[in-house]
Amino acid sequence: MKYSILIVEDDNDISRIIEEALTQPDYVIYTAMDGKEALDIFNKQSEIDLIILDLMLPVMDGLSVLKKIRENSTVPVLILSAKNGEYEKVLGLEFGADDYITKPFSIIELQARVKAFLRRMNEYHKDPLNQESDKIIVGELEIELENFLVKKQGEIINLTAKEFSMLKLFVTHPGKVYTKVQLYKEIWDENYLNDENVVNVQIRRLREKIEKNPSEPEYIKTIWGIGYKLGEFK
């Protein structure tokens, strides 16, 4: 199976380094030098499996690109930026990024994260026609685990792969309290890097999609000082 990766980076040297690091038979690489070109490529190609997106871009900045993509797509987006402030990281995640790497970055780390993203993407988009649905009902939610489908009162909720993985973890382990360290290891399949922003933002985004009132969650409960757990439903 071939995977299509879109690299959006205006620095020619960095773009070439990333492209060379990801050059292998299973990857089809597209590159864009500015935000507008990135959206043009994304809209023309029928399948883009992963986007590596710089924040500081000419013509259209990375956050604007991300916002446009998230209007109708849940494609995994890995932010790559020289900005390492907490505000920029959180803002990128709030706009729908799945993760981020700060420049200067390790080629080995980038390669590992790309492989992890594509592995999860492959699991997320398995053909449901060849699978028997395993449905869990929690409150007003219907979660079809094998089909990667979530409905609330009959309406489909569009979750990203990581949002679905997090919800699946909670509904398949009712009553279990997960710390942020445990969630990071389970969902990102990496050792915890002492950065709570990724977990906090993903929890917030998931709540915004499934809760009636995200500030008073019923499904993803906060256990203060410990972590999170699935709410109890009759």
Side-chain angles (χ1 to χ4, degrees), residues 21-22 24 27 50 78 101 106-120 188-190:
L22 300 180
Q24 59 174 279
Y27 296 169
L50 173 66
L78 175 62
I101 292 182
S106 161
I107 291 296
I108 294 176
E109 179 186 2
L110 177 64
Q111 291 171 327
R113 292 207 190 189
V114 167
K115 287 180 180 179
F117 269 116
L118 295 176
R119 183 178 66 249
R120 296 189 199 101
W188 280 265
D189 194 24
E190 299 175 5

Side-chain angles (χ1 to χ4, degrees), residues 57-170:
L57 296 169
V59 184
M60 179 184 290
D61 65 86
L63 289 178
S64 297
V65 172
L66 178 57
K67 187 176 180 180
K68 290 294 293 183
I69 288 172
R70 281 291 177 258
E71 288 179 357
N72 53 24
S73 175
T74 59
V75 61
V77 177
L78 175 62
I79 291 290
L80 180 67
S81 177
K83 292 187 174 183
N84 58 6
E86 294 300 306
Y87 175 75
E88 287 79 13
K89 293 178 181 178
V90 172
L91 194 59
L93 294 169
E94 289 283 7
F95 274 53
D98 294 273
D99 206 350
Y100 56 81
I101 292 182
T102 302
K103 300 176 185 175
F105 55 89
S106 161
I107 291 296
I108 294 176
E109 179 186 2
L110 177 64
Q111 291 171 327
R113 292 207 190 189
V114 167
K115 287 180 180 179
F117 269 116
L118 295 176
R119 183 178 66 249
R120 296 189 199 101
M121 183 280 305
N122 188 43
E123 294 174 354
Y124 186 63
H125 291 96
K126 285 178 181 176
D127 185 359
L129 296 178
N130 296 324
Q131 301 176 33
E132 189 173 329
S133 177
D134 185 6
K135 183 184 295 185
I136 293 179
I137 298 177
V138 179
E140 296 178 342
L141 296 179
E142 294 183 16
I143 303 101
E144 297 183 14
L145 301 180
E146 297 298 329
N147 295 344
F148 292 85
L149 184 66
V150 179
K151 295 180 181 179
K152 185 174 184 181
Q153 294 182 322
E155 294 188 6
I156 294 177
I157 299 175
N158 292 318
L159 301 182
T160 64
K162 278 193 170 58
E163 290 166 352
F164 184 89
S165 295
M166 186 170 286
L167 179 61
K168 178 181 177 179
L169 185 65
F170 284 118

